[in-house]
């Protein structure tokens, strides 16, 4: 089966796969930061104090980075090759970003001195992803 045949089954807006492509790239980049920076971005970007239990924090950031890279690659593959799965991947991205927002702004409120960039990015990403999901389901 060629790309055209696979992607021909997708009937939603062409904007939605583009949003998913962008989401994939914007997942892979922080994933690489969390996986490959010496502190995973925990101290240098998020401003966390790594003096106590820093190795555990860095390890958790690396684990999170690995999942970001994998999910980002899946989003790229779907957006470019398997567009009939775009609504599903957008829905999963909405669930993931919603859980990030819930944890970053509500469940852990006051646990961290300040919010890292990701906490703000999720507030921008969620409505964009919801709009893209809506557009992906329209014929």
């Amino acid at each position: 089966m060629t790309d055209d045949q696979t992607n021909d089954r997708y009937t939603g807006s062409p904007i939605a796969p583009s949003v998913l492509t962008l989401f994939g790239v914007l997942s892979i980049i922080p994933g690489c930061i969390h996986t490959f920076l010496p502190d995973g971005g925990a101290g240098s970007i998020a401003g966390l104090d790594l003096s106590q239990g820093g190795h555990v924090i860095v390890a958790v950031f690396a684990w999170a980075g690995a999942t970001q890279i994998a999910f980002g690659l899946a989003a790229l593959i779907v957006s470019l090759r398997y567009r009939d799965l775009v609504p599903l991947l957008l829905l999963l991205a909405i669930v993931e970003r919603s859980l990030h927002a819930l944890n970053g702004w509500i469940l852990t409120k006051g646990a961290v001195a300040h919010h890292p960039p990701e906490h703000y990015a999720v507030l921008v990403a969620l409505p964009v992803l919801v709009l893209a999901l809506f557009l992906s389901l329209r014929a």
Side-chain angles (χ1 to χ4, degrees):
M1 189 175 293
T2 68
D3 289 345
D4 291 336
Q5 290 173 333
T6 302
N7 288 336
D8 282 346
R9 292 188 298 231
Y10 175 73
T11 59
S13 168
I15 295 170
S18 298
V19 169
L20 189 59
T21 299
L22 181 62
F23 174 81
V25 170
L26 294 178
S27 294
I28 292 169
I29 292 169
C32 288
I33 290 169
H34 295 323
T35 301
F36 300 114
L37 273 185
D39 72 345
S44 60
I45 297 172
L48 298 178
D49 178 10
L50 300 177
S51 62
Q52 294 185 6
H55 63 287
V56 174
I57 295 169
V58 171
V60 170
F61 269 56
W63 168 78
T67 62
Q68 285 176 301
I69 292 169
F71 193 40
L73 288 172
L76 284 178
I77 291 167
V78 165
S79 71
L80 299 173
R81 173 77 166 89
Y82 299 103
R83 288 195 174 163
D84 52 329
L85 296 175
V86 164
L88 173 63
L89 257 286
L90 286 168
L91 180 62
L92 290 173
I94 290 166
V95 169
E96 184 221 15
R97 298 284 98 186
S98 296
L99 291 171
H100 274 281
L102 183 66
N103 280 295
W105 292 100
I106 297 170
L107 298 179
T108 59
K109 189 173 184 173
V112 179
H114 78 283
H115 291 283
E118 180 64 24
H119 287 180
Y120 296 98
V122 74
L123 298 178
V124 174
L126 266 172
V128 172
L129 290 168
V130 169
L131 177 61
L133 176 61
F134 174 75
L135 292 173
S136 75
L137 296 173
R138 293 186 53 162

